């Protein structure tokens, strides 16, 4: 009974929210570097210079950009990715903190443009050296790195010159990047995730495309699927020990009543997201998607051999992020906040201050759905509560609300393992250390066990301090999840 002996306990991060050092070590710029800060009410914006020289700032989500525009960095605007919380210069200190908590895993992402500054075939040795130092530091403490190859950061050059993933050539360049890191970090990294939250990739921000229509999006996604499958095939060839997974967000929705139309609507809403697991675990376009393409006039241009690549390059395991659930109905509903997607309110659930509805039982539900649909091991690589913390006069941070959230979710993971028999590989809550929020660009929305002294405009000492949850999680790990 209980979690497996080699359960991966750890925490998660992403380069564009954590690493900083944006202009150092030969790194090239990524789309994430032209996204401004924002807030709960003001959306983050993307800044570009149009072909006529006009500078525009447009909401980073849901806006189409003019073809031929180029990334623009405004000297008077704050871009959180540039410094983030400076893992680049704090990696030894941070990894020591992880080790102190007893981490056996650490999810991070490699910044593609630190290895390939333009996203093409040119390689930056200094970037390779940086991550080698990071992985060696992890190994020193027996921490298993779990590495995302692309976490919402498309090389800016690809966005400017070839409309990002809509250009087939990007598949080959992505493979160059993967081959380079698989070869260089052989023996140092075993767990890889190809694309973060693949079900949320859209537009300039994370597909590097200028348009948002279905034709553009799904053609670009086809290239992403092929690239991911090729990475799996190549990764296994380079090191048969490699375990290469997919990563999706699962924003589970429930019907608000038992009317068959509401139930069907919920099923179809969930399928929008599990389509991505179908593609990466089963290795082909499911019939319902082909019908949808046909209805909407979407025509995916495939190259000979693509079908075989998708089939051969299915993933070894499924990883996912889970924060909240939502509700849909045949009737109109009042919407609430959510992670890149907004659904209806659930009267039975409490929500975070950002409106994300807290639902630990939903995690058990999702674990079962994924495991018993695809029969592949699952890994939770994001989960957690974004909350504003208060630093008391004595310096302590008493984040009982965070402990409570995580405790409830770990309890449900245990049921999924002990009662349901789900093969769960590990748990890496999001933002084990405070970092920049992807959705709002804020620092105020904190997830960490470790507090970072920095505000929404990047001001602060960057000093790291242990919160109450730090000591709690340490004891959870030491007891392999028995002492909650
Ligand atoms: C996921 C992303 O969407 O949720 C992370 O993979 C992100 O990058 C996390 O940070 C939490 O969202 P937010 O908006 O609170 O940072």
């Amino acid at each position: 009974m209980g979690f497996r002996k080699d359960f991966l306990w750890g925490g998660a991060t992403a380069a564009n929210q954590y690493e900083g050092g944006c202009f150092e070590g030969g790194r090239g710029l990524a789309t994430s570097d032209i996204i401004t800060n924002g807030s709960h009410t003001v959306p983050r914006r993307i800044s570009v210079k149009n072909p006529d020289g006009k500078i525009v700032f447009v909401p980073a989500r849901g806006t189409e950009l003019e073809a031929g525009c180029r990334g623009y960095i405004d000297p008077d605007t704050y871009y959180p990715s540039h410094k983030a919380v400076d893992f680049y210069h704090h990696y030894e200190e941070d990894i020591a903190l992880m080790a102190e908590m007893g981490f056996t895993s650490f999810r991070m992402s490699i910044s593609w443009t630190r290895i390939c500054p333009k996203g093409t075939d040119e390689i930056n040795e200094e970037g390779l050296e940086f991550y080698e130092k990071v992985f060696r530091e992890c190994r020193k403490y027996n921490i298993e790195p779990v590495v995302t190859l692309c976490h919402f950061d498309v090389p800016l050059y690809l966005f400017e010159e070839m409309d990002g993933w809509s250009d087939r050539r990007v598949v080959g360049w992505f493979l160059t990047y993967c081959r380079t890191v698989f070869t260089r970090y052989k023996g140092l990294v075993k767990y890889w995730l190809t694309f973060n939250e693949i079900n949320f990739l859209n537009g300039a921000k994370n597909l590097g495309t200028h348009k948002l229509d279905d034709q553009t999006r799904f053609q670009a996604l086809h290239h992403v699927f092929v690239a991911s499958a090729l990475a799996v095939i190549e990764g296994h060839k380079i090191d048969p020990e490699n375990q290469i997974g997919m990563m999706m967000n699962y924003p589970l929705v429930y019907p608000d009543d038992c009317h068959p139309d509401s139930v069907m609507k919920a099923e179809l809403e969930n399928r929008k997201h599990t389509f991505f697991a179908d593609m990466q675990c089963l290795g082909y376009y499911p019939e319902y998607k082909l019908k949808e393409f046909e209805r909407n006039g979407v025509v995916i241009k495939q190259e000979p051999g693509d079908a075989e690549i998708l089939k051969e390059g299915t993933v070894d395991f499924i990883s996912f992020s889970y924060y909240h659930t939502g509700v849909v109905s045949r009737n109109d509903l009042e919407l609430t906040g959510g992670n890149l997607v907004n659904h209806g309110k659930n009267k039975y659930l409490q929500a975070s201050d950002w409106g994300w509805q807290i639902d630990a039982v939903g995690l058990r539900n999702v674990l079962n759905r994924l495991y018993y649909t695809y029969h592949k091991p699952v890994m939770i690589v994001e989960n957690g509560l974004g909350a504003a913390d208060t630093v008391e006069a004595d310096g302590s941070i008493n984040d009982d609300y965070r402990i409570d959230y995580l405790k409830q979710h770990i309890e449900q993971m245990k049921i999924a393992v002990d009662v349901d028999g789900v093969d769960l590989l590990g748990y890496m809550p999001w933002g084990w250390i405070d970092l920049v929020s992807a959705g709002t660009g804020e620092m105020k929305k904190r997830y960490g066990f470790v507090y970072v002294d920095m505000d929404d405009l990047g001001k602060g000492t960057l000093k790291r301090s242990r919160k109450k949850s730090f000591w709690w999680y340490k004891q959870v790990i030491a007891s392999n999840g028995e002492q909650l």
Side-chain angles (χ1 to χ4, degrees):
M1 295 291 271
F3 297 113
R4 38 196 297 167
K5 297 257 168 313
D6 58 354
F7 194 78
L8 295 170
W9 290 102
T13 61
N16 78 85
Q17 295 164 259
Y18 181 42
E19 187 176 290
C22 179
F23 300 98
E24 293 176 64
R27 181 185 177 277
L29 290 180
T31 48
S32 45
D33 301 322
I34 55 164
I35 304 180
T36 70
N37 60 334
S39 73
H40 197 167
T41 46
V42 179
R44 299 188 75 180
R45 293 168 304 153
I46 228 167
S47 53
V48 293
K49 194 181 249 184
N50 281 335
D52 61 4
K54 195 171 162 214
I55 292 159
V56 293
F57 283 76
V58 297
R61 269 169 71 190
T63 315
E64 299 211 330
L65 291 163
E66 203 172 307
C69 65
R70 310 189 77 79
Y72 173 74
I73 293 179
D74 177 46
D76 299 322
T77 300
Y78 179 56
Y79 294 86
S81 73
H82 296 185
K83 181 166 67 166
V85 291
D86 202 24
F87 175 65
Y88 195 66
H89 297 107
H90 288 75
Y91 72 90
E92 284 164 305
E93 179 186 353
D94 287 0
I95 296 168
L97 281 164
M98 295 180 215
E100 189 184 335
M101 262 190 288
F103 276 25
T104 53
S105 63
F106 165 39
R107 178 182 176 220
M108 53 170 281
S109 75
I110 293 181
S111 159
W112 182 358
T113 53
R114 199 175 282 293
I115 307 299
C116 308
K118 288 179 165 174
T120 53
D121 284 341
E122 177 201 328
I123 306 294
N124 174 33
E125 172 58 28
E126 218 179 323
L128 284 170
E129 280 165 18
F130 169 67
Y131 292 111
E132 186 174 334
K133 284 189 281 184
V134 168
F135 299 141
R136 289 200 184 284
E137 196 67 15
C138 289
R139 290 278 161 209
K140 193 165 110 185
Y141 299 105
N142 292 321
I143 294 173
E144 188 77 56
V146 175
V147 179
T148 318
L149 289 157
C150 190
H151 191 125
F152 294 168
D153 49 359
V154 178
L156 194 60
Y157 176 81
L158 301 183
F159 160 74
E160 293 178 338
E161 303 296 331
M162 46 219 55
D163 200 38
W165 279 99
S166 67
D167 192 312
R168 175 81 193 201
R169 285 174 294 176
V170 177
V171 174
W173 289 322
F174 183 75
L175 201 62
T176 298
Y177 158 56
C178 294
R179 212 178 269 132
T180 306
V181 294
F182 290 154
T183 306
R184 179 67 172 248
Y185 305 130
K186 186 173 171 175
L188 286 174
V189 179
K190 170 176 159 189
Y191 290 99
W192 301 92
L193 314 179
T194 53
F195 292 88
N196 182 64
E197 292 186 343
I198 189 164
N199 51 321
F200 284 148
L201 301 188
N202 196 9
K205 195 166 168 263
N206 42 35
L207 274 180
T209 56
H210 292 71
K211 289 169 139 190
L212 295 167
D213 59 285
D214 271 8
Q215 176 61 45
T216 308
R217 179 172 186 238
F218 283 105
Q219 183 63 59
L221 278 168
H222 176 71
H223 297 149
V224 167
F225 288 133
V226 172
S228 174
L230 284 168
V232 172
I233 296 167
E234 193 71 12
H236 287 156
K237 269 195 215 138
I238 292 172
D239 187 353
E241 289 292 305
N242 276 335
Q243 290 293 303
I244 307 175
M246 67 163 296
M247 195 305 193
M248 65 177 284
N249 175 272
Y250 206 134
L252 180 69
V253 295
Y254 305 123
D256 79 329
D257 64 11
C258 55
H259 190 290
D261 287 347
S262 299
V263 175
M264 197 63 219
K265 195 165 172 183
E267 286 302 313
L268 296 179
E269 184 62 27
N270 287 324
R271 197 159 81 178
K272 278 189 198 159
H273 301 283
T274 50
F275 156 67
F276 292 83
D278 288 345
M279 287 299 296
Q280 297 194 285
C281 296
L282 307 176
Y284 59 88
Y285 281 91
E287 289 73 6
Y288 63 82
K289 204 67 185 176
L290 296 176
K291 290 283 181 196
E292 179 190 310
F293 287 161
E294 204 179 308
R295 273 197 312 282
N296 299 340
V298 171
V299 180
I300 305 293
K301 190 161 171 268
Q302 301 204 32
E303 288 200 354
D306 281 3
E308 290 73 17
I309 291 169
L310 292 175
K311 193 83 206 157
E312 195 190 334
T314 53
V315 292
D316 298 317
F317 66 94
I318 303 169
S319 76
F320 68 99
S321 54
Y322 176 85
Y323 293 92
H324 59 77
T325 56
V327 169
V328 295
S329 164
R330 66 205 158 102
N331 305 308
D332 287 342
L333 285 178
E334 187 192 346
L335 298 184
T336 184
N339 187 9
L340 300 166
V341 70
N342 300 95
H343 291 120
K345 276 195 179 166
N346 186 329
K347 64 182 176 201
Y348 301 106
L349 299 177
Q350 306 267 312
S352 76
D353 290 343
W354 276 259
W356 298 19
Q357 301 184 118
I358 303 167
D359 181 4
V361 176
L363 178 58
R364 175 182 177 192
N365 191 332
V366 165
L367 283 166
N368 274 275
R369 282 169 182 251
L370 289 175
Y371 185 62
Y372 285 107
T373 306
Y374 306 106
H375 301 277
K376 288 180 188 280
V378 285
M379 193 188 272
I380 301 165
V381 294
E382 285 187 36
N383 174 234
L385 180 74
D389 292 326
T390 307
V391 184
E392 305 296 345
D394 65 355
S396 64
I397 299 145
N398 300 307
D399 54 344
D400 293 283
Y401 36 90
R402 184 166 294 112
I403 294 174
D404 198 42
Y405 176 103
L406 296 169
K407 181 174 178 299
Q408 287 175 37
H409 285 75
I410 297 173
E411 273 164 7
Q412 293 299 319
M413 280 158 46
K414 270 181 110 168
I415 300 175
V417 169
D418 284 342
V419 178
D420 305 326
V422 171
D423 185 8
L424 181 59
L425 297 174
Y427 182 59
M428 281 143 251
W430 177 250
W432 72 273
I433 182 166
D434 295 343
L435 38 65
V436 175
S437 157
T440 65
E442 294 165 300
M443 272 305 291
K444 189 168 68 200
K445 190 180 187 193
R446 295 172 183 272
Y447 288 88
F449 303 115
V450 171
Y451 186 89
V452 176
D453 176 33
M454 193 172 113
D455 70 12
D456 290 346
L457 291 174
K459 302 212 167 41
T461 61
L462 288 171
K463 181 175 177 291
R464 276 78 168 138
S465 334
R466 297 160 186 80
K467 301 183 194 175
K468 186 172 178 184
S469 57
F470 180 99
W471 306 108
W472 171 80
Y473 195 47
K474 183 176 162 78
Q475 146 219 301
V476 172
I477 298 175
S479 64
N480 201 25
E482 290 304 316
Q483 270 179 55
L484 296 175

